Amino acid sequence: MSAAPDVSARTATRGGNRWLILAGGVLVQLAIGAVYAWSTFSKAIQADPSAIELTPVQATLPFTVAIGMIFVGSFLGGRAQDKRGPRIVALVGVTIYSLGIMLASFTRDGSDLWMLILGYGVLGGFGLGLAYIVPIAMLQKWFPDKRGLITGIAVGGFGFGAVITSPLAQQMIAGSEDYQQYPTKVFLWLGVAYLVAGVLGASVFRDPPEGYTVPGSAAPAAAVQADDTATEAAADAVVTDDAKPAPAHNAAGHDFTPKEALSTPQWYLLTLILTISVSAGISLISIAADTATDVAGFTAAGAATLVGIMGLFNGGGRILWAGISDKIGRMPAFLGILVIQGVALLAIPHAGNVALFYILAAVIYTCYGGAFGTMPSTAGDFFGVRHAGAIYGLMLLGWSIGGIIGPMLISWLVGEDGAYVLGYTVVGILALAGAILPFITRPPKHPDRTAAAA
């Protein structure tokens, strides 16, 4: 009679320290999240002492390409970790990301823009995507009891990356005439730091053992289902390949495969919600330093400090909104994210003083991060966690599309004339229009696998 509890206890013990794995996930996300400090580098590259002469649109290209490449990396990483395990995928990802940043350090003038795009954009974005998706999918399996909060913390680390990088990079650039002339040189040392931090974090990654349960919690879902009705047992037998023990299921009680998820309208609605939120928030992120100086009169150092501090709200928003969504529901949370973000974007070009600008920027960054903190657990609720890496990895297409649309749209609208009111009004309306989507998005019903098999 004591066999089942003993097995559960042994399973939990073999699982290892899930909090150490969480710490490793946050460390990896901190390293790759430094990508959000780009506006600090963009401003330095365009400053008068710099020998790297780029137009505002050209200066957004490395960041835009990086965000665009994230989907490629996350798509492949989500599928690869299901087959190869999380550790090797994350190690490869942080290595490629770091080497890409180091390559960008050799950019010396405008003719080397291709190198900046290749290193920071293509390699950096691809490696970032590989590494980013791993802890999100992995930690949902380790923390079935805290899925929303834990994924919020994991991606919160990504938002905090710029908190460290932006003021550090600004200090390095300001403290050296050589770096003022060639701001990209700082990428060499930053790339080395990212590599060390990323490798240390990824080295502890692993999936929980089959049948893992949280110590002190109920037995795995598969064990409970073994005592269900004969009809349910027969249905489980038909789908043996997809019925391996999993710590949690979606609202329909089943884990969708990637193909099944893609056959539902809900996958596309969730991806569209993410796309709109990203497009809106990243419009500010991509030109935050320029907007701060031109609209609210920040100094260059003050703008860099702003970018760093806003990383706190980007990261904190991921945790905050993930926790809120656990209490009020996922779709009400997305409604709040889009509406609040949209209103703040409409107001920010009119923020003529530092204090008001800080408040509005903090709201936008918090909501922007909130979408990333809430979406992984939403996807888990809708489609289950067994194939979370592949399904959410595909969903990050919205990040890449939004990451391309947002920076390019805002830089084109603002232009060299500084038409900030026009630019932020357009993206603010875009966010408000997207608020209709949470009203029509509901969890999907799982297809009848038994009927399909027959």
Side-chain angles (χ1 to χ4, degrees):
M1 294 182 64
S2 62
D6 288 343
V7 170
S8 178
R10 287 196 301 271
T11 301
T13 301
R14 288 198 304 269
N17 188 338
R18 62 180 185 159
W19 297 102
L20 177 62
I21 295 171
L22 172 61
V26 172
L27 189 58
V28 168
Q29 297 281 33
L30 280 171
I32 61 177
V35 71
Y36 277 137
W38 173 254
S39 65
T40 297
F41 300 112
S42 174
K43 188 168 185 61
I45 286 170
Q46 297 176 77
D48 288 338
S50 174
I52 306 171
E53 297 180 358
L54 300 179
T55 67
V57 172
Q58 287 176 324
T60 66
L61 286 177
F63 180 71
T64 301
V65 172
I67 301 300
M69 286 297 297
I70 287 174
F71 166 68
V72 180
S74 64
F75 169 70
L76 295 176
R79 300 180 71 87
Q81 73 167 349
D82 290 338
K83 298 178 181 180
R84 303 293 183 183
R87 183 181 302 166
I88 184 63
V89 178
L91 286 171
V92 171
V94 297
T95 300
I96 294 175
Y97 168 76
S98 302
L99 291 177
I101 300 300
M102 293 181 203
L103 175 62
S105 72
F106 295 101
T107 303
R108 293 294 177 267
D109 56 45
S111 66
D112 292 335
L113 176 61
W114 68 270
M115 189 180 298
L116 198 56
I117 293 174
L118 175 62
Y120 196 98
V122 177
L123 296 178
F126 176 72
L128 189 161
L130 277 178
Y132 178 85
I133 191 63
V134 173
I136 294 174
M138 175 186 66
L139 288 169
Q140 289 192 70
K141 301 172 186 176
W142 279 106
F143 291 87
D145 54 328
K146 309 175 189 292
R147 193 162 69 230
L149 176 62
I150 292 301
T151 55
I153 292 173
V155 297
F158 187 86
F160 291 136
V163 176
I164 300 171
T165 299
S166 183
L168 176 61
Q170 175 62 30
Q171 186 176 13
M172 292 173 68
I173 293 169
S176 167
E177 291 185 3
D178 188 35
Y179 286 169
Q180 289 174 27
Q181 186 176 11
Y182 304 108
T184 52
K185 283 189 174 182
V186 302
F187 285 135
L188 179 61
W189 306 111
L190 292 175
V192 172
Y194 301 155
L195 181 61
V196 172
V199 168
L200 285 175
S203 64
V204 302
F205 283 7
R206 62 180 180 278
D207 277 328
E210 197 76 12
Y212 170 78
T213 58
V214 178
S217 69
V224 175
Q225 291 170 355
D227 294 327
D228 282 350
T229 63
T231 301
E232 290 172 328
D236 285 342
V238 174
V239 292
T240 301
D241 289 341
D242 289 326
K244 294 179 182 179
H249 294 276
N250 66 306
H254 297 279
D255 289 305
F256 285 60
T257 65
K259 183 178 180 180
E260 290 168 344
L262 287 170
S263 70
T264 68
Q266 285 85 351
W267 185 91
Y268 298 92
L269 287 169
L270 292 179
T271 302
L272 183 57
I273 289 173
L274 183 63
T275 302
I276 293 174
S277 180
V278 169
S279 298
I282 210 167
S283 296
L284 171 63
I285 292 172
S286 65
I287 59 169
D290 288 329
T291 305
T293 55
D294 293 345
V295 171
F298 281 69
T299 64
T305 301
L306 169 79
V307 172
I309 292 176
M310 287 303 108
L312 289 170
F313 292 94
N314 186 353
R318 296 165 190 246
I319 302 171
L320 174 65
W321 279 106
I324 290 174
S325 73
D326 282 341
K327 297 183 180 299
I328 69 173
R330 311 301 185 197
M331 292 305 107
F334 279 116
L335 176 62
I337 286 169
L338 290 168
V339 170
I340 295 171
Q341 187 174 203
V343 171
L345 283 164
L346 291 175
I348 201 164
H350 306 286
N353 65 78
V354 170
L356 181 58
F357 192 93
Y358 256 103
I359 292 171
L360 292 173
V363 169
I364 295 167
Y365 272 72
T366 299
C367 292
Y368 173 82
F372 287 104
T374 306
M375 192 59 79
S377 54
T378 304
D381 290 347
F382 276 42
F383 305 114
V385 300
R386 174 165 172 73
H387 301 287
I391 292 173
Y392 187 61
L394 287 167
M395 200 174 288
L396 288 178
L397 173 65
W399 189 3
S400 290
I401 294 175
I404 293 172
I405 292 174
M408 296 302 291
L409 178 63
I410 195 71
S411 62
W412 175 67
L413 290 172
V414 172
E416 296 184 3
D417 296 331
Y420 290 101
V421 173
L422 172 63
Y424 285 109
T425 298
V426 170
V427 295
I429 291 174
L430 174 66
L432 292 174
I436 190 67
L437 295 175
F439 286 106
I440 62 175
T441 306
R442 297 290 183 269
K445 294 181 179 180
H446 193 278
D448 188 345
R449 294 184 181 181
T450 303

